[in-house]
Amino acid sequence: MQYPRLLFQLAAAFTCLAVNWCAAFSLPGEIDVDAFYSRSTFPVPPADLIARAKQVLSPQVGIGTKDGGKCLADDFEFCAAVVGPIPKEDYLGALKSFSLDVAFDIQQNYYGFYVDPLQTNRVWFFTRQVAKHVAEFAGVKPTRKELTLPPQLMHLDFNDDGLVKEFGFYTVDRRQGNTGGLGGAFGYFYGVGKPLPIREAKPYKPSFRFKMLQLLGALAKKFKRNKE
């Protein structure tokens, strides 16, 4: 009758050993995060900075779009993979004109908040946005279509006063979602069938030169195998 309890205790003990071993294991080239944090001269501790980032992301603040830009530093810049740097007023004006939160019911799905140990004023985090088209956008009547954007890695940089100096994001897996691998506003325009008329706002397509280079590489491999 004691076997189930004994097995449970053994499993728990094994789990603890495995967790401790993983925590103690150091990968060559891996930095000591706590040591880097302890040497940081940035005045806001990592836990407090993450809390501040979540406050800035809240619906009441909206990274400056809901609080009149009060959370943004005067020298704020938006800088993404292909857009920016854009100064504060231009950033706020662009987002106001898009009105994404009006045209779409957006679930942000934030996770993975982490302070960069090598740049301790920066908070990294992921988002997997899912949005339903509920109002007119880019001249397109509401379709109720659900857009699934690819996972995006975002960052917020803060100054000593806790104001945002930089906001940016990058698509980290263009093969996921149904917006052609596009994130940010580009994904929403593409998702409703109205992609912006620029190359950067369309799904990735390899250049002619790159395709020729890949073809040459494949031919070289084929000839090498034939010789062998």
Side-chain angles (χ1 to χ4, degrees):
M1 296 295 292
Q2 298 297 319
Y3 285 132
R5 183 177 179 183
L6 178 61
L7 289 174
F8 176 79
Q9 290 174 335
L10 287 172
F14 177 79
T15 301
C16 289
L17 287 172
V19 169
N20 290 334
W21 181 84
C22 289
F25 181 77
S26 179
L27 179 70
E30 181 180 6
I31 67 172
D32 185 335
V33 173
D34 290 335
F36 273 79
Y37 283 162
S38 67
R39 292 198 294 268
S40 171
T41 58
F42 189 64
V44 185
D48 293 345
L49 195 65
I50 288 174
R52 174 58 176 161
K54 292 180 179 181
Q55 183 183 40
V56 167
L57 293 167
S58 70
Q60 295 75 27
V61 181
I63 321 179
T65 61
K66 303 300 181 184
D67 69 342
K70 291 180 182 178
C71 70
L72 307 179
D74 290 338
D75 60 348
F76 167 86
E77 289 183 327
F78 170 79
C79 190
V82 297
V83 177
I86 298 174
K88 178 178 178 178
E89 296 305 322
D90 291 347
Y91 159 80
L92 292 174
L95 289 185
K96 184 177 180 180
S97 67
F98 293 156
S99 299
L100 294 176
D101 58 341
V102 174
F104 298 90
D105 181 8
I106 304 173
Q107 179 65 44
Q108 295 287 354
N109 295 323
Y110 295 123
Y111 65 97
F113 288 84
Y114 188 74
V115 172
D116 191 326
L118 300 180
Q119 185 183 339
T120 49
N121 72 325
R122 170 170 290 192
V123 177
W124 294 104
F125 55 98
F126 288 88
T127 181
R128 280 178 172 264
Q129 296 175 0
V130 177
K132 184 174 289 184
H133 184 202
V134 296
E136 185 173 337
F137 179 72
V140 179
K141 299 294 182 182
T143 62
R144 308 296 296 181
K145 177 183 178 182
E146 186 171 273
L147 305 183
T148 302
L149 277 69
Q152 298 172 90
L153 177 60
M154 300 191 169
H155 74 268
L156 289 167
D157 293 356
F158 293 87
N159 64 19
D160 291 1
D161 297 320
L163 298 177
V164 181
K165 289 184 59 178
E166 182 176 305
F167 168 50
F169 61 87
Y170 318 87
T171 295
V172 294
D173 190 346
R174 59 184 170 82
R175 299 198 298 173
Q176 295 196 29
N178 61 3
T179 60
L182 299 169
F186 289 173
Y188 289 91
F189 281 101
Y190 181 85
V192 299
K194 288 283 187 176
L196 297 176
I198 54 175
R199 175 64 263 168
E200 291 80 2
K202 296 178 182 179
Y204 169 75
K205 183 179 179 181
S207 66
F208 175 77
R209 288 184 179 181
F210 188 40
K211 286 190 285 188
M212 289 299 100
L213 184 62
Q214 290 178 312
L215 177 61
L216 290 173
L219 290 174
K221 282 185 179 180
K222 184 177 180 180
F223 286 135
K224 184 178 180 180
R225 283 197 299 266
N226 290 339
K227 287 182 178 180
E228 293 173 349

